[in-house]
Amino acid sequence: MLVYGEGENVPPWGTRARTVALPLAPRSEEPREGVSLPALATAVAGADCVLVDAATLDPLHAARRVHQAEPDVQVVVVVGTEERRRGLERAMLFTPGIGEVWLASPGEVDGGIAARAAGVTRQRRKFRRIHERLAHGRITESPQRTERALISDAYLANLLQVLPDPVFSVDAVGRVLSVNRAAITLLAQSGGDLVGMLLTAALDTTEVAAVTALLTDALERPSSTEIAFRRADGTPGHAELRVSRVAASLTGNAPALFAAVLHDLTERHQAQRQLEDQALELEHQSCVLQDQAAELEQSNDELLRQQVELETALAVRSRFYAAMSHELRTPINAVIGYTGLALDGIYGALAVPLRDALTRSQRAATHLHELVDDVLDLAKIEAGRIELETEPVDTTLLAEDILLSVRPTAEANGTAVTFVSGGDRSVSIVTDPRRVRQILLNLLGNALKFGAGRPVVLRCTPTPSRVAFSVIDLGAGVPEHEQERIFEEFVQLDAHAHRGTGLGLPISRRLAELLGGTLTVASVPGEGSTFTLALPRG
């Protein structure tokens, strides 16, 4: 580990500093003392601040050692990444004896944080010198003051007994002279058993060298370290042991006595390990979520690409439909027109075989014309070029007009078509009559085609908000699993028995949606079908 102070050498981040190499333990090893506290105190005594590189060392262990050696020196830990910084902030909450530690990035060190830290160190040292002068003045001004403390011995003894942390009074060789009640409770020994034992034996710790060094350091200043100890029930513990020298007399001739306070950190260390484990688990979960987010983003990109390709294909198809429909209409109209003229005898009498041939040709051309019209309507709907011309429409008059249009076809098929009004009087709706007529003519045409000559009913049922037109036939019906499929483009359930384009129902449903309504089917195989066009009244 490298600890930097004031001097001539330039560290990697550009701060002019004095470099001191200290063999402190990295995080992965068991804690060890490394350089002695007196040597460390000498090394940092002239520094205004200490910079600790967190990239290669255990920064909190280093900060504790520096704080033990020179409490007035401000420690600044230089952290390279934000994740590492957050981890140190959490660890500082559960790490005692490190004093005040600042966390900074290399850029902040260049930005002047080292200078501010040096200012804090100088203010602390100035305050300590003033405090020492005042304390020395109080002692010299009262040479006749007795050695007895201002607080009575009995009160002080009672105070020690109620402290929650174990407190030991120890002589210069580390022998226990007295203990408080918390020490007896923690170690499950009687007070007499602990008194006279070495402090290391009372704590049942293997870190004898650390405790001995702590007593040595405490001759100069209060010192602390973390040690492992064992309770009387055999369970291991972890605690901070802080030792301060206690003056037995004001003359300074009495042997050294020490007060040792053991602050149990076992639960805090366990909580810290749990937090670290949870942090690792959260980090793992975060990585998993990031991977899932990346996969989802990739899937979204693929779906967006496919959507763009589909929209492009649909636009090309719509343009193709529109162009071909316009190009096909002219020759088809010519075929239908000239065939009609020939059948009307404009060009002279026709032989029976020729008339039959021309009739079949005209019927085929008419069917092709219907197909072209359907394709053109579909292209307009998909391209959004359908324009609605709404106006008030009398539902009864509209239905009767539609029945007049289909009556020739119904008579040719021998099918009776009737209109039934579900209300007492005719109602008016605001809609596009041309598009409603187109939908109902398609539904009635299908009913005549698939109704097997049985009666067909057109029913109008008004409600306060809607009007429903139902076309009811008694034909073969539509199986339930096919009832939505018939609204797909170019789908014909029985294309061989009945000619058609397979576009009538898809176009009719889309027109119904454009009018703000719906087109649905209810059917029972063998009993017939009911197609319902529901439109808003407004």
Side-chain angles (χ1 to χ4, degrees):
M1 172 179 177
L2 294 180
V3 179
Y4 298 101
E6 220 173 34
E8 297 297 327
N9 295 327
V10 180
W13 46 71
T15 302
R16 297 183 59 82
R18 175 168 56 85
T19 303
V20 181
L22 300 175
L24 298 177
R27 182 180 294 275
S28 61
E29 299 179 9
E30 290 296 326
R32 63 175 185 266
E33 296 302 323
V35 66
S36 66
L37 284 177
L40 180 60
T42 302
V44 300
D48 282 338
C49 72
V50 175
L51 302 181
V52 178
D53 184 5
T56 57
L57 306 171
D58 183 344
L60 300 184
H61 180 63
R64 182 185 296 109
R65 295 284 287 158
V66 172
H67 183 66
Q68 292 171 354
E70 180 58 59
D72 293 333
V73 176
Q74 178 63 49
V75 177
V76 179
V77 176
V78 183
V79 189
T81 63
E82 188 63 24
E83 291 80 5
R84 179 71 169 137
R85 182 170 186 151
R86 289 195 295 267
L88 285 175
E89 288 175 347
R90 291 193 300 268
M92 286 169 60
L93 297 175
F94 304 97
T95 305
I98 62 175
E100 179 180 309
V101 179
W102 294 357
L103 300 180
S105 64
E108 291 174 326
V109 174
D110 291 336
I113 194 171
R116 295 196 299 274
V120 170
T121 300
R122 289 191 292 271
Q123 290 294 329
R124 289 174 177 165
R125 288 175 174 168
K126 181 178 178 181
F127 175 81
R128 186 184 63 182
R129 289 194 297 269
I130 295 174
H131 181 74
E132 290 174 352
R133 286 199 301 270
L134 292 176
H136 179 72
R138 284 195 298 270
I139 293 174
T140 56
E141 288 172 3
S142 305
Q144 304 302 322
R145 182 172 298 177
T146 65
E147 296 181 0
R148 191 174 185 84
L150 295 177
I151 303 176
S152 68
D153 292 342
Y155 178 82
L156 181 59
N158 290 331
L159 181 63
L160 290 175
Q161 293 302 321
V162 299
L163 289 178
D165 288 334
V167 179
F168 308 82
S169 60
V170 185
D171 63 12
V173 296
R175 186 177 294 106
V176 177
L177 302 178
S178 65
V179 296
N180 68 344
R181 186 178 294 110
I184 299 173
T185 302
L186 179 66
L187 302 175
Q189 301 273 358
S190 66
D193 291 337
L194 293 176
V195 172
M197 297 177 63
L198 291 176
L199 181 59
T200 53
L203 297 175
D204 193 10
T205 180
T206 59
E207 302 180 36
V208 178
V211 176
T212 303
L214 189 64
L215 292 171
T216 303
D217 296 338
L219 290 170
E220 302 295 331
R221 68 189 72 219
S223 303
S224 64
T225 188
E226 290 189 17
I227 63 170
F229 72 98
R230 189 173 299 277
R231 298 178 177 88
D233 60 3
T235 58
H238 195 87
E240 179 191 24
L241 180 62
R242 185 170 186 83
V243 180
S244 301
R245 184 175 181 179
V246 180
S249 71
L250 295 178
T251 61
N253 297 325
L257 296 177
F258 300 91
V261 180
L262 190 72
H263 183 54
D264 194 354
L265 302 177
T266 305
E267 293 183 358
R268 183 177 297 179
H269 274 241
Q270 292 175 351
Q272 180 180 355
R273 285 193 294 271
Q274 291 177 359
L275 286 176
E276 291 175 351
D277 293 341
Q278 291 175 0
L280 291 176
E281 180 63 22
L282 288 175
E283 185 175 357
H284 172 70
Q285 295 295 335
S286 177
C287 293
V288 172
L289 289 176
Q290 289 177 0
D291 293 341
Q292 293 177 350
E295 294 177 359
L296 181 59
E297 184 176 0
Q298 184 177 1
S299 300
N300 288 337
D301 293 340
E302 179 64 20
L303 289 176
L304 181 60
R305 183 187 64 79
Q306 294 177 359
Q307 180 182 357
V308 172
E309 292 179 354
L310 179 60
E311 291 176 351
T312 302
L314 290 176
V316 171
R317 188 187 71 170
S318 297
R319 290 196 299 270
F320 172 77
Y321 284 169
M324 292 305 298
S325 298
H326 285 295
E327 293 297 328
L328 290 173
R329 270 184 169 181
T330 300
I332 292 173
N333 286 331
V335 171
I336 294 174
Y338 283 113
T339 303
L341 292 176
L343 290 174
D344 291 339
I346 298 298
Y347 304 108
L350 300 175
V352 174
L354 181 57
R355 176 175 291 278
D356 292 340
L358 289 177
T359 300
R360 288 193 296 271
S361 175
Q362 187 183 45
R363 189 160 49 243
T366 301
H367 174 63
L368 183 59
H369 191 275
E370 293 174 354
L371 175 61
V372 171
D373 286 341
D374 288 343
V375 170
L376 185 58
D377 282 342
L378 183 62
K380 287 182 179 180
I381 293 173
E382 290 183 346
R385 294 199 301 268
I386 290 289
E387 295 182 0
L388 302 179
E389 298 179 2
T390 60
E391 60 183 64
V393 177
D394 188 291
T395 55
T396 300
L397 295 179
L398 177 64
E400 291 175 351
D401 180 63
I402 293 173
L403 290 184
L404 289 176
S405 300
V406 300
R407 182 163 292 133
T409 304
E411 291 175 352
N413 292 340
T415 302
V417 181
T418 57
F419 169 66
V420 177
S421 177
D424 296 335
R425 57 186 179 84
S426 177
V427 297
S428 177
I429 61 174
V430 178
T431 187
D432 187 333
R434 176 169 169 264
R435 298 302 177 183
V436 175
R437 179 185 179 87
Q438 181 179 351
I439 297 171
L440 293 179
L441 284 175
N442 180 267
L443 297 179
L444 287 169
N446 289 341
L448 294 174
K449 186 187 305 182
F450 299 102
R454 298 184 180 93
V456 174
V457 176
L458 172 61
R459 181 187 299 276
C460 178
T461 306
T463 67
S465 60
R466 305 175 74 83
V467 171
F469 293 93
S470 299
V471 177
I472 306 167
D473 67 70
L474 302 176
V478 181
E480 184 177 358
H481 66 279
E482 299 282 3
Q483 290 180 8
E484 281 302 314
R485 186 167 170 265
I486 61 176
F487 292 100
E488 298 177 5
E489 299 166 11
F490 302 106
V491 172
Q492 292 178 278
L493 299 185
D494 192 0
H496 298 289
H498 305 278
R499 67 180 181 89
T501 64
L503 292 175
L505 287 177
I507 292 175
S508 296
R509 171 169 278 189
R510 296 196 184 188
L511 289 176
E513 292 171 352
L514 287 175
L515 294 171
T518 58
L519 179 58
T520 57
V521 61
S523 181
V524 177
E527 297 182 9
S529 304
T530 300
F531 287 82
T532 301
L533 170 65
L535 298 173
R537 297 186 65 167

